[in-house]
Amino acid sequence: MATDYALAVLCCVFAWHLWRVGKAAVQASVCAWAAGFVCFGLASFAGGTVHGFAAIFSQAVLQELWKLTAYAVGLASFFLLVGTLSACIVPSVHRFAMPIPYVQLIVYAFWMATHDDFRYVIYDYAFTNLGIVALQCYAGLTYRAMSVRWMAGGVLVSFFAGAVQINRVALHDHFNHNDLYHVIQMGGMYLFYRGALLLKDR
């Protein structure tokens, strides 16, 4: 629970700073990433509440909180992909590319309505990460975008964190795979944050 809440606070701090930077510079891509961090913070808070108060809340409440966690991560993926697309592709291509995150979100929402396994959340987030790194590599080669190294690092750390989560790697009985996942993901979020600060709308 503690690592969930720590990740939630970190995401909210990053979101606030990104929102201020994006709004001041009128950069929709940065603001979209700020929204994504807010969603990650919400997911971490809801997930931490499930882990920490399972003995207190009813099963129905826990189920709703778990669904909130899953949908918040899906919404975060949506905003991250929208922000990355805004920074990496020219406006003339937007109408062809922008439907992608919307379709992904709709498919994910329908799928998660009848599935609770967290691995599906990770699969969706992994797809988003692949999209981010592909778009950033394109931007790096085409526009020499300065955000590439930070974003690529964030993707690599996120994949590593996901592998820890799926394989249930734990360091101690009181520091399980969820805790380790959150700590590793904090590093990934920092790298994403640094990269998002450098995004520029196309």
Side-chain angles (χ1 to χ4, degrees):
M1 179 181 72
T3 54
D4 289 272
Y5 288 164
L7 181 58
V9 171
L10 186 68
C11 287
C12 289
V13 170
F14 289 161
W16 173 245
H17 192 201
L18 285 172
W19 179 258
R20 292 180 62 187
V21 171
K23 192 172 182 180
V26 195
Q27 296 294 318
S29 54
V30 179
C31 290
W33 270 79
F37 272 106
V38 169
C39 294
F40 274 131
L42 176 61
S44 297
F45 182 81
T49 303
V50 171
H51 295 147
F53 298 97
I56 298 176
F57 293 133
S58 67
Q59 191 59 41
V61 171
L62 293 174
Q63 181 67 16
E64 291 302 317
L65 284 170
W66 189 246
K67 285 295 185 184
L68 175 60
T69 302
Y71 284 126
V73 175
L75 197 57
S77 292
F78 166 79
F79 282 119
L80 266 54
L81 195 52
V82 166
T84 306
L85 283 167
S86 298
C88 296
I89 60 174
V90 294
S92 60
V93 186
H94 277 192
R95 67 172 183 167
F96 301 106
M98 279 302 180
I100 295 174
Y102 288 90
V103 172
Q104 178 187 347
L105 180 62
I106 292 170
V107 171
Y108 174 80
F110 275 106
W111 180 263
M112 292 309 296
T114 55
H115 297 79
D116 292 324
D117 196 326
F118 193 73
R119 63 178 174 169
Y120 297 121
V121 178
I122 293 178
Y123 293 159
D124 178 74
Y125 184 47
F127 176 82
T128 298
N129 275 297
L130 289 174
I132 290 171
V133 75
L135 288 165
Q136 280 289 290
C137 286
Y138 169 76
L141 293 172
T142 308
Y143 315 118
R144 296 187 178 181
M146 300 298 293
S147 56
V148 178
R149 288 179 295 177
W150 293 105
M151 291 294 191
V155 169
L156 289 175
V157 172
S158 293
F159 275 130
F160 178 60
V164 167
Q165 174 74 23
I166 290 176
N167 292 291
R168 305 179 71 86
V169 178
L171 299 180
H172 191 272
D173 289 341
H174 299 294
F175 195 85
N176 63 21
H177 61 286
N178 289 316
D179 298 315
L180 185 56
Y181 167 77
H182 297 141
V183 171
I184 296 172
Q185 193 61 63
M186 287 179 197
M189 289 301 170
Y190 173 74
L191 295 173
F192 279 138
Y193 161 72
R194 291 295 302 270
L197 285 173
L198 299 172
L199 294 177
K200 302 293 181 184
D201 293 351
R202 300 302 306 170

